[in-house]
Amino acid sequence: MIHLIIDGKTCIAEEGEILLSVARREGIEIPAFCYDETLAPYGACRMCLVDVIKGGQKGITTSCTLQVSDGLEVLTETPEINRLRKALLELYLAQAPRAETIKALAERYGVTKTRFAKKVVREDPLQNRCILCGLCIRVCSEIIGAGAINYIGRGQFTEINTPFYEETESCMGCGACAEVCPTHAIAYKDIAGTRVMTSWSETKVLLKQCPSCGKFYAPLPFTAFALEKLDPPIQEDLKDLCPACRKREAVRKTILLKMEGTLES
Ligand code: SF4
Ligand code: FES
């Protein structure tokens, strides 16, 4: 274990841990949009800046890519960091004018308007809320292994969607992208037995129906994909029923077993 200092507080961590993770564990808040502990460091949004004052390469850097070492000392708020964050927030307000999470953070930094032209797109599949942080793309490829979405275009025309804005068979409808999106930009809806990934070119994915209660409860391709990764006995247990019916079935089995035990004794 090593010792480091964040904003004057001595913290203990493992050598090589990511500074942003250590700070979060210690209850020290650093704004961050593109970091997820389950994914490889990326450093795209630049919100998580810290100033290294001792024990490393001195200067301002992103805490989500900084590995800690013994004797490291950083500050998470300085006039220079705040100036940079304010400028970034102005850019994000222009890039994603309908993102409430951006507006809320900007307000905390005293930024209520932007000097940049707002990019309002009519019928934007990402609801004018996408800041291009790339989390959705990374979770889809690194965790789910589907690679259904990616960046499209360049510079100010960069967007995120399916290849050629067409429905894609790669999408399993798991919704992990929507789960991680820091600005709640990704939309999908379940209509009868189908999940429609509204943001991803209206890609349609069939939902699995519970044979007991008839409820549509999970995207079919994703359940098949997830089941494959489990041991056969667990697969058998989880195969068909929805979570509610599975629970009911487990309780029913326990009661029957207890009754059998009572009758036998
Ligand atoms: S849709 Fe959300 S997660 Fe994906 S890049 Fe945009 S802001 Fe990030
Ligand atoms: S969270 Fe560090 S650059 Fe985005």
Side-chain angles (χ1 to χ4, degrees):
M1 300 303 266
I2 54 117
H3 291 85
L4 68 148
I5 300 172
I6 309 176
D7 292 342
K9 183 181 180 185
T10 301
C11 311
I12 296 173
E14 273 180 48
E15 175 98 43
E17 259 191 276
I18 295 293
L19 179 67
L20 184 52
S21 288
V22 180
R24 284 181 176 175
R25 194 170 62 228
E26 294 288 334
I28 299 165
E29 204 194 325
I30 302 176
F33 290 134
C34 72
Y35 181 65
D36 187 297
E37 285 185 20
T38 59
L39 300 167
Y42 196 55
C45 75
R46 319 307 288 176
M47 285 306 297
C48 68
L49 297 174
V50 292
D51 196 357
V52 178
I53 52 173
K54 210 168 154 191
Q57 190 164 2
K58 291 192 184 57
I60 292 177
T61 187
T62 47
S63 60
C64 70
T65 54
L66 180 64
Q67 293 185 315
V68 299
S69 53
D70 201 34
L72 183 74
E73 185 168 354
V74 301
L75 295 171
T76 65
E77 297 261 347
T78 66
E80 181 58 4
I81 289 176
N82 283 352
R83 188 186 68 76
L84 292 168
R85 279 200 190 123
K86 282 180 181 182
L88 281 167
L89 285 163
E90 268 199 71
L91 283 167
Y92 287 141
L93 281 179
Q95 164 72 24
R98 303 229 166 100
E100 294 303 324
T101 41
I102 302 290
K103 281 188 207 165
L105 185 65
E107 245 178 65
R108 273 178 45 200
Y109 280 85
V111 180
T112 50
K113 48 185 187 232
T114 175
R115 286 166 291 170
F116 305 101
K118 285 194 183 175
K119 185 187 160 193
V120 181
V121 181
R122 278 180 61 199
E123 296 180 19
D124 177 13
L126 293 171
Q127 311 178 77
N128 289 295
R129 292 182 190 165
C130 177
I131 56 165
L132 300 171
C133 73
L135 263 182
C136 52
I137 299 174
R138 289 154 60 217
V139 80
C140 186
S141 63
E142 283 180 40
I143 305 280
I144 307 299
I149 47 173
N150 214 327
Y151 291 107
I152 298 178
R154 285 177 181 206
Q156 59 166 317
F157 303 108
T158 309
E159 290 181 344
I160 294 183
N161 216 306
T162 55
F164 307 106
Y165 298 95
E166 284 173 357
E167 282 196 45
T168 172
E169 284 183 3
S170 304
C171 177
M172 293 189 271
C174 67
C177 50
E179 202 62 44
V180 291
C181 176
T183 57
H184 312 292
I186 300 161
Y188 64 85
K189 54 193 175 205
D190 292 347
I191 305 167
T194 306
R195 173 162 293 179
V196 183
M197 302 303 294
T198 324
S199 294
W200 307 140
S201 311
E202 301 276 324
T203 291
K204 289 166 198 64
V205 178
L206 289 179
L207 292 171
K208 193 173 168 76
Q209 188 171 28
C210 175
S212 176
C213 68
K215 191 177 154 195
F216 291 103
Y217 68 95
L220 205 48
F222 184 66
T223 19
F225 164 82
L227 275 174
E228 254 180 37
K229 307 207 174 305
L230 299 171
D231 290 337
I234 308 175
Q235 272 185 21
E236 204 43 49
D237 235 26
L238 300 181
K239 209 168 63 181
D240 288 324
L241 299 178
C242 72
C245 289
R246 218 179 297 139
K247 209 165 162 188
R248 252 197 310 276
E249 183 61 11
V251 173
R252 194 182 70 83
K253 275 185 187 161
T254 317
I255 293 172
L256 281 176
L257 279 173
K258 273 192 190 155
M259 282 170 68
E260 268 175 36
T262 318
L263 288 174
E264 278 167 11
S265 60

